Amino acid sequence: MRITDIYIDPAVSDAPVVQAIRARVDAPARVVKNLQSVHETLFCSPDPVGRGKEVLLLTQNRGAFVRDCPGTRYYTCCGYKILHIGTFCSMDCSYCVLQSYFHPPLLQFFVNHLEMHAALDDFFTQKKARRIGTGEFTDSLIWEGVYPFSAELVSRFAAQSFAVLELKTKTTAIETVLPVKHHRKTIMSWSLNTERVIREEERGTSGLTARLKAAAACEAAGYPLAFHFDPLIIYPGCAAEYKSVIRSLFRYVSSENIVWISLGSFRFMPALKPIIESRFANSQITLGEFIKGIDGKMRYFKPLRIDFYRQIISFIREIAPNVVLYFCMEDDEVWQKALGETPRAFGGLPNLLDQSAIRHCALSLQ
Amino acid sequence: MRFSLATIPLKSIDLNDRTYKISTDRTPDELCDSIENVGLLTPFLLKHRSDRYSVISGFRRVAACLQLGWTEAPAQIADPQVNDLECLQAAIADHALHRPLNPIEQSVALSKLSAYYTNDIELSRISKKLGMPVASALIPKFKQLNRFPISVQEGVLSGAFSLTIALELGSLDEPSAEALSRLFNALMPSLSHQKQILTLVREISSITGLSIPSLLQESFVVNILCRSELSRSQRIDALLDALRRARYPKITAFEDQFCRLVGSLELGGGIQILPPKDFEGNRFSILLRFQTLPEIEAHLKRLEGAVKRPEFKAILKKDRADY
């Protein structure tokens, strides 16, 4: 992560986490009374989104630390919870929804960790949800160079047996978590894509082999694993390339240790399209055959999605017939036609994933 | 700012010096008639430079007087201490006083002023004072206009396309901008259709690797433009359809097959089967049009037969293999 400026919310300027980060990160830091001025500075940049990846705002999470993953009604959501530790990402993926999700996006790290731990206490006590992750509004492991606290989270989850933490990443920053006693209550997960997509659309991320080697190292350290083929991108020759990725995956890790694999085709809010076009002039990913989905997002034409999912699933099933597969935000028709069953067959998608977590992570049944 | 009135030999005016020229070129013919009838009511503004005069305002009036065969004319001459910025401001104010400046003239004026004012907010304030109000947010866009290809500028002046479209065209390479400008000038599509055409053409060009001018020379485009039996709006619709087919070949093939399956059911004119929007949802609709009881009874009978046919099941299944 390359930070050129640190801005500090006066409300947290004395926080121990802020002092620790200032000692670690070699960048000028200043306390800003008006946080809006940080946003205005970004807007004045020729590339506010790119600039937002170099500017770190240390502040407090004034909302909920534990929140629902933003799903929409028509498509089936997995009932995931987000542990909201910060926003945005230092890596630069063309398709990243965060480019248009925050206005403007910038690296924010929430330092009120006492409140975060209190929210986790409450989460563990409520026993309403079993799966929570930090990798939705940011990458889970990019913060290790700024403030290595994943180990602390892993330990917290290891001390209970009701829920699992998913650390989702495109990095290989696993050194801090490898030696931690995790009791299989943390799932280490990677977003995977073809070498071509990683090379052309995922600037600054680790290569495919590096990700798979990191996954293998985590498996050797006893961690359960998960993988996300999301976004799946349709382009000429893509099926053979995804097949190659899937074969590589199972050469590095064993299918028995995979808690779940998600599949999600590329989808985006229309507002993201001009951002991709201006920031990634050579990207072709918006040139697929998209329609506007029922949630307002652009999606590949449904018959094309179904055909493509069928191929990907057959590649996975060929090697790992029993691994739990699920779709991120698809409807019953896609489930039925591509997987042969709807989530109802498993008591709903949240239950399918909860049961897999119970099996793989030795969660308590109560 | 001080000016003094004098009679000046027209041959001493340097019409090639465009330092303060704001107006777009127009022929002086109409003005010649006016000057011939009522005389030169407003003397042009000049600045003395070494042995010749530069025009601050009145290029068309000078041209008209020359066309009428005049050898001298009255003019307001700027005092030597009036600087270049003041002359430019006088040029803009003088034009804006007589008529609203067109977008290209505003662009030229703002570009020239920006040599003196780098801040767009200040530029906006000054332009307003000179009678040419432009919001600061629009200034970066306006400043680009006068650098665009002539065909794009002409399109803006003729009202064939808006500033938004002009900016889109201006972001393209010159041959592409020219080719699209010609298309828009020929078809005069609405703003919404222009946006659709522009997006489709750009995307097809990116997908196929064909340049925009080459794409617009492809037979599927040219043949539509040549169909004189079609009205202008029919040609626009046909062009949009052809471009959509080129941009979305799989989606349009699926839609065509849906239409063929529906056609094979021989439902007649009063019954319509409507698919879910973009085939994304799962709910189909049937629209029945009728006036009398026997008419609806006939529709229902036809429908009853149709739903038993394999084509109807294929329609509902929405599988690409069936389509």
Side-chain angles (χ1 to χ4, degrees):
Chain A
M1 190 185 288
R2 178 178 166 269
I3 303 294
T4 61
D5 298 272
I6 299 175
Y7 294 98
I8 301 166
D9 180 345
V12 299
S13 58
D14 296 329
V17 178
V18 171
Q19 303 312 319
I21 291 171
R22 288 189 65 176
R24 280 183 79 94
V25 180
D26 182 21
R30 79 194 83 154
V31 177
V32 278
K33 284 185 183 161
N34 178 9
L35 298 182
Q36 187 58 33
S37 67
V38 180
H39 295 151
E40 282 163 10
T41 307
L42 288 180
F43 274 130
C44 290
S45 159
D47 175 16
V49 176
R51 183 73 183 117
K53 292 175 178 290
E54 301 171 336
V55 171
L56 173 61
L57 174 63
L58 302 176
T59 185
Q60 55 186 336
N61 184 352
R62 292 177 169 83
F65 267 101
V66 175
R67 49 179 71 186
D68 293 332
C69 189
T72 48
R73 214 168 29 157
Y74 178 77
Y75 300 100
T76 304
C77 173
C78 74
Y80 197 68
K81 292 283 179 187
I82 294 170
L83 180 58
H84 194 23
I85 58 164
T87 64
F88 210 32
C89 184
S90 52
M91 295 175 284
D92 201 7
C93 298
S94 61
Y95 52 75
C96 179
V97 65
L98 301 177
Q99 295 175 98
S100 62
Y101 196 82
F102 300 108
H103 301 287
L106 83 162
L107 289 165
Q108 284 189 101
F109 188 65
F110 301 133
V111 301
N112 50 331
H113 284 180
L114 285 177
E115 279 97 327
M116 180 187 73
H117 284 296
L120 278 176
D121 287 339
D122 191 42
F123 174 70
F124 293 142
T125 311
Q126 285 187 18
K127 300 190 174 181
K128 282 185 181 169
R130 290 186 176 276
R131 293 164 289 112
I132 188 166
T134 54
E136 296 299 316
F137 293 145
T138 183
D139 181 282
S140 294
L141 297 182
I142 54 161
W143 303 101
E144 294 304 283
V146 172
Y147 185 75
F149 83 133
S150 293
E152 191 181 325
L153 288 176
V154 172
S155 296
R156 278 234 56 191
F157 277 77
Q160 56 80 52
S161 61
F162 185 78
V164 288
L165 170 70
E166 184 178 18
L167 296 178
K168 198 189 296 184
T169 190
K170 286 178 187 142
T171 75
T172 56
I174 55 169
E175 296 79 10
T176 51
V177 297
L178 282 180
V180 182
K181 282 188 181 165
H182 51 77
H183 296 156
R184 291 182 70 81
K185 300 302 179 291
T186 294
I187 299 169
M188 298 300 293
S189 83
W190 275 267
S191 167
L192 298 181
N193 227 308
T194 64
E195 301 269 19
R196 181 195 303 251
V197 171
I198 291 172
R199 189 174 60 244
E200 293 178 1
E201 311 292 344
E202 298 183 352
R203 287 180 196 156
T205 64
S206 299
L208 175 64
T209 306
R211 291 183 210 182
L212 294 177
K213 282 181 177 171
C218 286
E219 181 174 32
Y223 279 99
L225 304 175
F227 296 94
H228 301 275
F229 285 93
D230 194 349
L232 287 164
I233 294 172
I234 300 176
Y235 57 88
C238 62
E241 293 184 17
Y242 278 106
K243 187 173 189 175
S244 163
V245 175
I246 290 160
R247 287 189 168 167
S248 296
L249 165 64
F250 292 111
R251 274 199 295 272
Y252 279 92
V253 302
S254 87
S255 61
E256 290 76 27
N257 194 42
I258 297 175
V259 189
W260 50 66
I261 295 177
S262 77
L263 305 176
S265 61
F266 178 41
R267 55 210 178 275
F268 57 98
M269 287 307 290
L272 186 62
K273 190 177 177 190
I275 296 174
I276 297 175
E277 286 170 349
S278 74
R279 298 197 65 243
F280 298 83
N282 296 322
S283 175
Q284 297 254 319
I285 59 169
T286 60
L287 299 176
E289 296 208 31
F290 295 102
I291 53 93
K292 190 180 263 191
I294 293 169
D295 55 359
K297 288 183 183 171
M298 306 306 292
R299 296 165 168 266
Y300 290 115
F301 187 50
K302 195 183 222 176
L304 299 179
R305 298 207 301 277
I306 291 170
D307 278 359
F308 191 47
Y309 284 140
R310 279 175 175 155
Q311 291 185 72
I312 299 293
I313 290 164
S314 76
F315 299 151
I316 296 173
R317 287 279 182 247
E318 203 175 285
I319 307 172
N322 298 317
V323 75
V324 170
L325 293 175
Y326 73 97
F327 295 113
C328 182
M329 303 308 287
E330 287 292 2
D331 69 3
D332 281 359
E333 184 188 3
V334 172
W335 276 79
Q336 186 64 50
K337 288 180 174 173
L339 259 174
E341 280 169 314
T342 68
R344 269 193 297 280
F346 315 104
L349 176 55
N351 189 55
L352 170 70
L353 301 181
D354 285 348
Q355 292 306 317
S356 188
I358 288 168
R359 282 197 306 279
H360 285 91
C361 307
L363 295 183
S364 305
L365 286 173
Q366 290 185 345
Chain B
M1 212 182 300
R2 280 169 27 98
F3 289 86
S4 43
L5 192 61
T7 299
I8 298 297
L10 292 180
K11 66 179 181 188
S12 66
I13 298 174
D14 182 3
L15 280 172
N16 293 320
D17 182 349
R18 300 164 74 93
T19 309
Y20 312 113
K21 185 165 169 60
I22 304 296
S23 57
T24 42
D25 288 321
R26 288 178 299 158
T27 59
D29 297 347
E30 284 177 26
L31 197 54
C32 285
D33 293 342
S34 162
I35 293 173
E36 197 163 32
N37 283 316
V38 294
L40 184 65
L41 297 179
T42 313
F44 20 85
L45 305 184
L46 303 178
K47 180 171 173 63
H48 197 229
R49 286 186 193 275
S50 58
D51 59 335
R52 303 201 74 185
Y53 290 94
S54 302
V55 179
I56 297 173
S57 177
F59 279 89
R60 198 158 154 256
R61 278 169 278 166
V62 175
C65 291
L66 285 168
Q67 197 167 308
L68 289 169
W70 290 18
T71 56
E72 57 180 29
Q76 296 276 4
I77 314 296
D79 282 359
Q81 61 268 38
V82 175
N83 64 31
D84 277 352
L85 172 60
E86 289 170 320
C87 289
L88 180 60
Q89 290 177 335
I92 296 167
D94 191 50
H95 280 93
L97 183 72
H98 290 99
R99 60 178 170 83
L101 300 187
N102 66 45
I104 305 300
E105 290 168 338
Q106 290 184 66
S107 173
V108 172
L110 289 167
S111 295
K112 289 188 172 178
L113 278 174
S114 62
Y116 304 95
Y117 303 97
T118 49
N119 181 323
D120 287 345
I121 294 170
E122 199 180 357
L123 200 50
S124 171
R125 190 177 54 78
I126 291 295
S127 63
K128 190 178 175 188
K129 277 188 176 176
L130 298 173
M132 183 189 70
V134 181
S136 59
L138 286 175
I139 284 180
K141 295 177 179 175
F142 264 105
K143 279 197 289 195
Q144 298 172 48
L145 259 185
N146 72 94
R147 295 197 295 268
F148 288 167
I150 295 298
S151 60
V152 178
Q153 296 188 34
E154 283 172 355
V156 174
L157 288 178
S158 69
F161 38 83
S162 65
L163 177 63
T164 313
I165 294 293
L167 290 168
E168 289 260 3
L169 293 174
S171 70
L172 301 172
D173 60 82
E174 193 160 337
S176 299
E178 296 274 5
L180 278 162
S181 298
R182 278 196 301 275
L183 179 71
F184 290 163
N185 278 311
L187 280 181
M188 296 293 277
S190 65
L191 175 62
S192 144
H193 285 154
Q194 285 175 15
K195 282 184 176 169
Q196 288 177 49
I197 292 169
L198 193 50
T199 303
L200 287 166
V201 165
R202 286 174 83 150
E203 293 185 352
I204 295 165
S205 168
S206 292
I207 292 167
T208 59
L210 211 57
S211 71
I212 289 176
S214 305
L215 173 63
L216 295 180
Q217 284 304 311
E218 288 283 299
S219 56
F220 78 95
V221 176
V222 173
N223 291 347
I224 291 167
L225 301 179
C226 293
R227 288 179 64 186
S228 53
E229 81 278 12
L230 297 181
S231 69
R232 187 179 61 84
S233 76
Q234 283 171 326
R235 271 186 287 168
I236 292 167
D237 288 345
L239 177 64
L240 280 168
D241 182 60
L243 291 173
R244 190 169 172 271
R245 285 174 181 282
R247 170 65 180 86
Y248 299 102
K250 289 175 181 152
I251 294 178
T252 48
F254 194 91
E255 290 167 347
D256 288 346
Q257 183 58 16
F258 169 80
C259 292
R260 278 195 288 275
L261 285 170
V262 171
S264 71
L265 295 174
E266 295 171 334
L267 293 168
I271 306 173
Q272 220 181 331
I273 297 181
L274 306 170
K277 186 173 183 312
D278 295 322
F279 296 90
E280 179 66 14
N282 298 309
R283 201 165 287 272
F284 287 78
S285 310
I286 292 176
L287 184 66
L288 301 179
R289 287 196 186 83
F290 58 93
Q291 279 185 308
T292 62
L293 195 57
E295 209 175 352
I296 191 168
E297 282 169 348
H299 284 346
L300 292 175
K301 197 172 174 187
R302 249 189 246 121
L303 263 180
E304 201 177 355
V307 297
K308 291 174 187 153
R309 294 178 58 173
E311 292 90 341
F312 196 87
K313 291 189 178 79
I315 287 171
L316 297 189
K317 212 169 149 198
K318 292 198 298 173
D319 266 355
R320 278 183 83 204
D322 297 320
Y323 275 60

